[in-house]
Structure formats: structure tokens, C-alpha cells
Amino acid sequence: MEELNALMGGFGHVLSMHNLGLMFVGILLGIVVGVLPGLGGPNGVAILLPLTFSMNPTSAIILLSCIYWGALFGGAITSILFNIPGEAWSVATTFDGYPMAQKGKAGEALTTAFTGSCFGALFGVVIITFLAPIVAKFALRFGPPEFFAVYFLTFCSFIGMGKEPKAKIIISMCIGFMLAAVGMDTVSGELRMTFEVPELLRGFDFLVAVIGLFGISEILLTMEEGLAFKGKKATIDLKVVFKTWASLPRYWMTLLRSSVIGCWLGITPGGAVAASFMGYGMAKKMSRDPDSFGKGNEEGVLAPETSAHAAGTSALLPMLALGIPGSATAAVLLGGLMIWGLQPGPMLFVEQKDFVWSLIASMYLGNIVGLLVVLSTVPLFAAILRIPFSIIAPAIMVICAIGAFTVHGASFDIWLMAIFGVVGYIFKKLQYPLAPMVLALVLGDRAEDAFRQTMVGSKGELGVFWSNGLVGTVMTLALIALLWPLIGSLISRLRAPKHA
């Protein structure tokens, strides 16, 4: 009941003309970000984050979160109409979405995708509403050893449960740790790895890094591929919408199952991409007609979109409750909160209660408004893809440069952004994941501080990490997550039938 009262207070803050206007603007910008394959949720939020510095934190987070919701919706438009995934998590949507469009059912496919997306997102928000306060209250018992154990669990989960090769994840994460260490040591005050460059005294700003790593690198890749847009036309009228909605209740189990899969992979470091593929795979496996998948099956559009949006939304739970981002976008939002002077984690629910519940209330409204907006503006945003990419790409790069310059008002940051863009391009060409690098860049110094404070307090004894049940349990879970591939392989061998 306490959570519901706080949520009602959050709705009271959000339901102002100013915040509702920002919600619409954010969703429209987000749809553009999602529609253009050269951008994406993390990129759009990172590029536009500097523009929110003059806003109050509540209005700023409403704008940025709505950009994220809009991007989640927008990715389905290009997947279904153009067979080009606007987002990485929209790849699975192309399997049945584009075949539906080819059959003249683009309106049905888009309505199915958007409705599934809204359901999955709202399911994730309900999870956040009731679980985040519980997790935050529990985390108030944390000291430096417990905080380091949670950071360690996050890093180990990315390594042990990530789908990419483990060596590549570790290399990417180690580079992030190295970048996080540049600048002034917060414990001793000494300078580290500045190489007598004055601009490096403040270290690498995570925002400049993510604008380059995500925004610039995607543009470079897209320019290299010579992307051309040729797609199907789509119009959505009320008759198509209501007809599609009438057919969706028969897929209630798919909706529920995909939402649970998405929330689980959002809270853990699986991510929206893994959730979309797992949701699609489970829907195909459980379907009475699996052979129709890939040929224009409505359920094959519903499942991945529902899972992806549930994962994208629930990834904000560990960010709010523990200060640990569950996705690349959550990592960018985490940095934004820190820039605005807010400390993500359990104390946020105590010190900034109105802010937290306003954000959660905006998630409910943002997704419902996003569904209505995207259903009514599909032809408009599909028309954006008729613009030659040779015109769009330079415009995006200029926006990126402005965003990087706005952070500190230094031209040096534009050069850093360009360098990170090249690094991101190389990483993507070599298929190295960027999320572990961003995670380590954002949390590396905080994990280091927690570890060093723990070592000072325990006089260098590592046994402190098993000194009580709480920290010991988290550290043990971290080691299990790190070694999970080996544990899983061992279990498979033991279960394998022995041949005579």
C-alpha cells in the first residue's frame, strides 16, 4: 500500500503540462532514434543527455526515459517495413514481421509489435514498482564490502552469462577499467595515466565515451555498408487496430511467458537482444504450428517485441535500487543521475523519494502514450527512411559533436569522441561487445573505492568478503556466475548417458 500511495504522488508530479509536453517530445525523438539504423536507444539518450543539464532532474529523466521508450517502439518500424533492424533487439522481429508486410499485413504486424511492446514494458514497470523498494530497503544494510560484492557480482555476471566469447568480454571490460582509472585517484589524490595532458586530469567522461562508442561507430559502420532503404508502405486505421487487438488474447500465454523471460534477462545482464531471441525461440518451440514461423506468423512478431521491451524496462530496476545498470542505456541514465547530483542506489528511495516515484509513474504513462503516438504516426516515420542516408549521417555526426562539446565546453572532448568512435567501430568489426566496457567505465572507480575502503578496514584480509551471511552469499553467487559456463558443462557431462 505504501508503494501505491507513493506512486500516486509520482503521478501528481508527472501530470503537469510541462512534463506531459516533454513526454511527447521524448517519445517522438525516440521513435526517430529507433527508426534510423545509425542510431539506437543508448545512442539517442547519450547524444541528447547534455541538452538536459539545465532542466530539473525529474523533467530531464522523463524526457530521456521517453526517448528510450520511443526508440524501443521505433525499432519495429524498420524491421517490419524495410527488413532492416532499427535496433539490435529488433532482429528477431524481422523473421516474421517482414513476411507479414510482404503479404499486405504490415498494419497488423505493426499493431501486434507495438501492443506486445507496450504489454512487456508495463509488465516490467509493475515489477519495478513492487520489487525496487524491497531491494533498496535490503541494500540499506550495505557497507563497502557489500557494495564491492554487488559490483563484483555484476562484472562476473557479464562475463559468465554473456553470449559473446569470454575472452572478448574480459578484454572489453579491462579496457573500461583502465579508462576509469585515468585522472585523479580519489583515495590518495595522485594522478594516474594523465601523461601530462591537462585535459585528462578529470579523466574520461563517460558521456563523451558513449557518444563516440555508440553513435559515431554506428554511423561509420552504416556508411561502410552503403545502407539503402527500400521498404513496404503501411497505413494503420482503427479497423486494423481493433481487429488485431481482438486476435491477441489467444496469445495470452505467449505474452506472459515472453514478459517473464524479458524481465529476468533485463534484471540480470542478459539484455534485450538475448531476450528477444529467447522469446522468439520459446514461442516457436511452444507453438502448435512451429513450421509457420519465419513465414509471417503473428506470434513470431509478438514474442520478441514483448520480451525485448520487458527486458529494456526491467533493466532499470538494479540501476535504481542498487546503482548498477542492467543495460547500456541504463548505464547512460546512471551517469546522467550522477551528473545531476543524484546518487543511484538504495539511498535514492530515501533522499529523493519524489524523484524516484515520478520516474516510475512516467514509465506507465510514457509507454501508453508511446503506443498511441506510434500507432498514429507510422506513415510519417516510415517516410523518414526515404531521405538519403548521405544526408542523415552528417546531421547525426554534428549532433554527436554538439553533445560531446556541451559536456565540459571543451573542443578536446570532440576529438576524444572521434577517437572513441573509431575504437567502437573497430570493436564492432571485430565483434567485441561494448556494454562491458561502458559498465566498467561507469562503475570501475566506484568498485575500486569500495574495494580499497574494505581492504583498509580489514587490514588487507580478503576473508572480510565472507565475514557475514550477506556479503558471503553475494560473493559466492558472483563466483558461481563467473564459473557458470564450466559448471554447466560439467553438469551436462554428468547427465550424458554413458555408452557401454
Side-chain angles (χ1 to χ4, degrees):
M1 185 59 74
E2 183 181 347
E3 287 80 8
L4 291 177
N5 290 334
L7 182 62
M8 291 302 106
F11 278 110
H13 284 91
V14 172
L15 290 172
S16 67
M17 291 306 296
H18 176 68
N19 287 334
L20 287 174
L22 288 175
M23 193 177 293
F24 273 99
V25 170
I27 288 166
L28 291 172
L29 288 173
I31 295 171
V32 174
V33 164
V35 162
L36 295 175
L39 284 176
N43 312 335
V45 174
I47 292 168
L48 297 172
L49 179 57
L51 304 181
T52 66
F53 289 169
S54 60
M55 300 181 184
N56 68 70
T58 301
S59 297
I61 199 70
I62 288 174
L63 176 64
L64 292 175
S65 63
C66 285
I67 290 172
Y68 186 32
W69 313 141
L72 286 167
F73 281 113
I77 297 176
T78 47
S79 298
I80 292 169
L81 299 185
F82 295 84
N83 202 29
I84 300 169
E87 299 279 2
W89 53 74
S90 296
V91 172
T93 307
T94 63
F95 299 161
D96 282 278
Y98 189 64
M100 284 185 71
Q102 288 179 311
K103 293 178 180 179
K105 295 183 177 180
E108 289 88 339
L110 288 166
T111 303
T112 300
F114 298 149
T115 307
S117 300
C118 185
F119 183 91
L122 290 176
F123 190 93
V125 181
V126 170
I127 295 295
I128 291 175
T129 302
F130 292 101
L131 278 189
I134 296 172
V135 175
K137 287 177 183 177
F138 180 71
L140 286 172
R141 299 165 52 191
F142 285 19
E146 287 79 9
F147 274 113
F148 175 77
V150 172
Y151 296 138
F152 187 60
L153 173 61
T154 306
F155 299 138
C156 289
S157 298
F158 259 84
I159 296 169
M161 298 182 180
K163 302 301 179 185
E164 299 86 356
K166 308 307 176 191
K168 290 185 176 182
I169 296 176
I170 292 172
I171 290 171
S172 177
M173 195 173 284
C174 287
I175 292 174
F177 286 134
M178 182 183 70
L179 294 174
V182 173
M184 184 175 291
D185 181 357
T186 55
V187 176
S188 67
E190 296 180 357
L191 297 179
R192 303 188 295 193
M193 293 187 287
T194 57
F195 304 105
E196 298 184 359
V197 178
E199 288 84 358
L200 291 181
L201 292 176
R202 60 173 175 258
F204 290 107
D205 191 285
F206 96 99
L207 185 55
V208 175
V210 296
I211 290 175
L213 289 171
F214 290 103
I216 299 299
S217 65
E218 278 295 327
I219 293 297
L220 293 175
L221 278 174
T222 308
M223 289 171 65
E224 180 188 30
E225 293 167 1
L227 190 60
F229 303 126
K230 295 178 182 178
K232 303 292 179 182
K233 292 184 178 180
T235 55
I236 298 181
D237 55 36
L238 286 177
K239 184 178 178 181
V240 171
V241 171
F242 288 127
K243 180 183 175 183
T244 305
W245 282 353
S247 69
L248 291 182
R250 59 179 170 170
Y251 300 126
W252 67 271
M253 181 56 75
T254 300
L255 281 166
L256 189 60
R257 181 178 59 244
S258 299
S259 298
V260 172
I261 290 171
C263 287
W264 171 251
L265 290 175
I267 295 171
T268 61
V273 179
S276 65
F277 280 101
M278 185 176 291
Y280 183 86
M282 289 297 293
K284 184 177 180 180
K285 186 176 181 180
M286 299 291 183
S287 174
R288 295 178 180 177
D289 186 19
D291 293 336
S292 65
F293 278 69
K295 301 174 184 177
N297 189 315
E298 193 175 40
E299 196 175 0
V301 175
L302 187 68
E305 285 293 312
T306 304
S307 292
H309 283 237
T313 305
S314 58
L316 299 181
L317 190 154
M319 187 269 282
L320 289 172
L322 299 173
I324 297 171
S327 68
T329 306
V332 177
L333 291 174
L334 172 71
L337 294 179
M338 295 168 70
I339 290 171
W340 301 323
L342 302 175
Q343 186 63 42
M347 290 305 295
L348 195 66
F349 283 79
V350 178
E351 298 172 351
Q352 301 290 338
K353 190 175 181 179
D354 290 343
F355 168 83
V356 172
W357 289 106
S358 296
L359 169 59
I360 294 174
S362 75
M363 293 180 187
Y364 285 99
L365 288 176
N367 280 288
I368 294 171
V369 171
L371 175 63
L372 299 176
V373 169
V374 79
L375 283 172
S376 59
T377 56
V378 164
L380 173 64
F381 288 108
I384 292 175
L385 295 173
R386 314 290 176 188
I387 303 172
F389 199 77
S390 58
I391 296 175
I392 293 175
I396 294 172
M397 295 187 80
V398 169
I399 293 172
C400 289
I402 293 172
F405 179 80
T406 307
V407 178
H408 297 295
S411 57
F412 180 76
D413 286 339
I414 298 177
W415 289 105
L416 277 181
M417 175 201 72
I419 293 170
F420 277 113
V422 174
V423 171
Y425 168 79
I426 294 171
F427 266 54
K428 289 178 179 179
K429 292 291 286 184
L430 297 176
Q431 296 183 334
Y432 278 76
L434 289 175
M437 184 194 299
V438 174
L439 179 77
L441 179 60
V442 172
L443 294 182
D445 54 348
R446 296 168 68 183
E448 180 192 2
D449 289 349
F451 180 77
R452 292 170 70 178
Q453 289 169 9
T454 303
M455 289 296 96
V456 169
S458 68
K459 299 181 180 179
E461 289 293 330
L462 290 175
V464 69
F465 292 116
W466 281 270
S467 60
N468 61 63
L470 176 58
V471 68
T473 300
V474 176
M475 286 296 288
T476 303
L477 288 173
L479 293 175
I480 291 173
L482 180 64
L483 300 173
W484 184 250
L486 295 176
I487 296 171
S489 176
L490 182 61
I491 293 173
S492 299
R493 288 183 181 180
L494 291 174
R495 285 183 175 178
K498 295 181 180 180
H499 298 286

